[in-house]
Amino acid sequence: MELREIRTFIQVAQRKSFSRAAEALGYSQAAVTIQIKQLENELGIHLFDRIGKQTILTHQGERFYRHAVSIMKEVSRAASSVAEPKELSGVLSIGTIESICASIFPDLIRQFHERWPKVKISIDLDSPDVLMDRLDKNSIDLVYLLDQKIYDIRWEKVMEEEEDIVFVCSAAHPFAKKSSLKLSELLSEPFLLTEKNASYRFVLDRYLAALGCSIEPFLEIGNTEFIIRLLKENHGLSFLPRFAVENELTAGTLSILPVEDFHMKIFRQLFYHRDKWVTREMEAFISLAKETGAPVCLPRRP
C-alpha cells in the first residue's frame, strides 16, 4: 500500500468524483482509477459505489476513510517535525460573518500579515449556514463565526469565546438615561437590524415569536458599520455584539440599554473540517486567533 494511493483515495472520497480528484492531483482519470483499483485489490474490499454520476463510499470505504485521513495527518506531522523551518507562503481561505470581519479581523489580519507576509489570504462573508456548508465541501479552510454553541462530528472546534449581544442606542437617546427597561418598551421603537440570517438576529426573532410579538425594523442591512453610523446620529435602536460597538461605548457616543428581562450569550467559534489536512498556514492562524483571545477593536473613521 503506497501513500500515493491513500492520498488519491482521500481526494476521490472528498470530491465524490474520479475526474475531480484527478484534476486536483494533476493525474489522468485513468491513473486515478488504476490507483484505486490497486488499493481495493490489496485491501480485498470494494471502496466505492459508482451509481450514475455519483461516486459514493461503501460502508467498508467509510471505515477505511477515517483511518486513511489519520495516516496522512501523521505522515504530515512526522515530516514537519524533522523539516527545516520555512517561511509560510501558502494560501489561506477563511469564512466569517460581517460583524466579526468589521470589528475583529482588521487587527487579527494585520498581526497575521506582519508575522507571515507571504501568505495570501482570502476572506468570504456569508451566513453561518452557508459558511458551514462550504466548509463541508472543502471550499474554505476555516470558519470563524458568532452563533450559539455548535456541535457536529464533522467539525473540529479549536476556539470558543463567550460574547454578549446587547441592545444599543445613541448616548443622546432618552432610553440611554434610564436605569432599567423592559423588552416590551423597546418593541415600538424604530430599529436598525442585521439581516435575518445573522445568528443573533435569528435567536432574537425566535424568542420574540415565542412571546407572540416581534420587532419590525425600518432598516435591515448586512453592514454593521452602516448601522453604527446611524445609531451615532440617533436614528433608532439596534441589537449587536458588544465587541462590534466597543469603540463607541468607550468614546461615549453609544450606550447599552439596561434591558432587565432579556439577555443573550453567544459564542465566537473557529472551526475546520475534521478530515481537513491542516496546513501550517491554518495552524498559524488558529494559534494567533487563540493567542489574541478577546477582540481588539480599531478606531473607525468618523
Side-chain angles (χ1 to χ4, degrees), residues 153-199:
I153 60 172
R154 293 173 293 173
W155 323 129
E156 290 288 343
K157 185 189 297 187
V158 292
M159 188 185 75
E160 182 179 277
E161 297 287 343
E162 189 176 271
E163 295 290 350
D164 287 324
I165 312 298
V166 295
F167 289 100
V168 63
C169 68
S170 165
H173 194 284
F175 279 178
K177 299 176 177 61
K178 294 202 173 187
S179 59
S180 67
L181 287 162
K182 296 291 186 182
L183 182 59
S184 58
E185 296 179 67
L186 310 185
L187 299 183
S188 61
E189 292 292 315
F191 263 87
L192 309 90
L193 293 178
T194 51
E195 295 164 316
K196 291 182 181 292
N197 59 6
S199 53

Side-chain angles (χ1 to χ4, degrees), residues 99-111 114 225 228 232 242-251 294-302:
S99 58
I100 286 178
C101 188
S103 303
I104 295 175
F105 267 32
D107 189 66
L108 182 57
I109 298 301
R110 176 186 60 77
Q111 290 189 54
E114 287 174 355
E225 294 275 3
I228 290 171
K232 289 164 68 175
R242 180 179 176 125
F243 64 74
V245 294
E246 200 63 58
N247 288 329
E248 288 72 25
L249 295 175
T250 302
V296 177
C297 298
L298 298 178
R300 297 188 180 91
R301 294 189 298 274

Side-chain angles (χ1 to χ4, degrees), residues 5-33:
E5 295 170 352
I6 297 175
R7 186 176 293 111
T8 298
F9 164 74
I10 290 172
Q11 286 292 323
V12 175
Q14 290 180 342
R15 298 174 186 277
K16 299 179 181 179
S17 166
F18 278 62
S19 60
R20 287 196 291 270
E23 182 179 350
L25 293 166
Y27 297 155
S28 68
Q29 186 169 337
V32 169
T33 301

